[in-house]
Amino acid sequence: MDIKFEWTPDLSVGENHIDEQHQKLLARVNELLEAILQGEAQEVIADTIQFFDRYAQEHFQYEEEYMRENGYPGLAEHQLQHQGFEKQYKEFKRNLASGMDKEQLALQVENYLGKWWLQHIGEDDKQYSLYIAQHNEG
Ligand SMILES: [Fe+2]
Ligand SMILES: [Fe+2]
């Protein structure tokens, strides 16, 4: 099966630990996609929601600290993006807790996560990466 969500070197932000976190995040989005395609969404959705809840937070904290240390001027705006994710994510947790159909929930989560992470890593994270690369020259 074709892998739809995969980290590629053009997504690198130039910091190894962050790149590793991004790889792991995209790999989990892809795992959920495969589970959906194989009709196993119901078994994995709770675990997936729990994973992103914990791991995204860990990632955001680390990344924000990295931007702060490097004096990135877009930090506050970037934090708003992260908060937007967390806000949307609360709804998934609520839907899970309230017993929403798990297959439907899995589709909803997959659709959101796939778009959000690819766009955020490829565009928003790229911006701090470019800024820091420029300002570290010489
Ligand atoms: Fe990131
Ligand atoms: Fe970010």
Side-chain angles (χ1 to χ4, degrees):
M1 181 187 304
D2 286 330
I3 292 173
K4 196 175 170 193
F5 297 101
E6 193 182 24
W7 187 89
T8 48
D10 60 298
L11 291 174
S12 174
V13 296
E15 207 273 349
N16 283 340
H17 187 63
I18 294 178
D19 283 346
E20 278 167 24
Q21 290 180 325
H22 287 160
Q23 283 163 21
K24 195 162 177 181
L25 287 158
L26 289 178
R28 284 300 293 246
V29 175
N30 200 58
E31 277 173 32
L32 178 60
L33 177 66
E34 294 208 15
I36 289 170
L37 293 173
Q38 284 164 21
E40 291 162 4
Q42 302 195 23
E43 288 110 83
V44 302
I45 186 60
D47 192 50
T48 304
I49 287 181
Q50 210 173 35
F51 169 82
F52 278 97
D53 190 31
R54 180 174 41 81
Y55 201 75
Q57 222 175 61
E58 211 175 291
H59 170 62
F60 292 156
Q61 273 170 17
Y62 184 89
E63 195 175 71
E64 287 169 16
E65 190 51 38
Y66 176 71
M67 288 186 269
R68 196 174 292 120
E69 276 169 9
N70 284 281
Y72 178 56
L75 173 63
E77 204 184 316
H78 199 114
Q79 279 175 310
L80 285 179
Q81 304 270 340
H82 289 170
Q83 283 162 19
F85 177 88
E86 283 172 346
K87 201 173 159 202
Q88 170 61 47
Y89 216 73
K90 276 191 190 131
E91 197 180 312
F92 295 145
K93 285 197 286 178
R94 267 200 302 273
N95 290 345
L96 180 69
S98 70
M100 177 180 177
D101 177 77
K102 282 187 174 158
E103 219 167 300
Q104 208 183 325
L105 179 60
L107 289 172
Q108 200 180 75
V109 170
E110 173 66 24
N111 192 28
Y112 180 74
L113 290 181
K115 276 192 210 134
W116 198 88
W117 283 106
L118 277 184
Q119 202 207 332
H120 187 73
I121 295 171
E123 293 173 23
D124 303 313
D125 289 350
K126 201 67 173 180
Q127 285 180 17
Y128 73 69
S129 152
L130 291 173
Y131 175 88
I132 291 169
Q134 272 173 6
H135 291 258
N136 282 346
E137 273 171 22

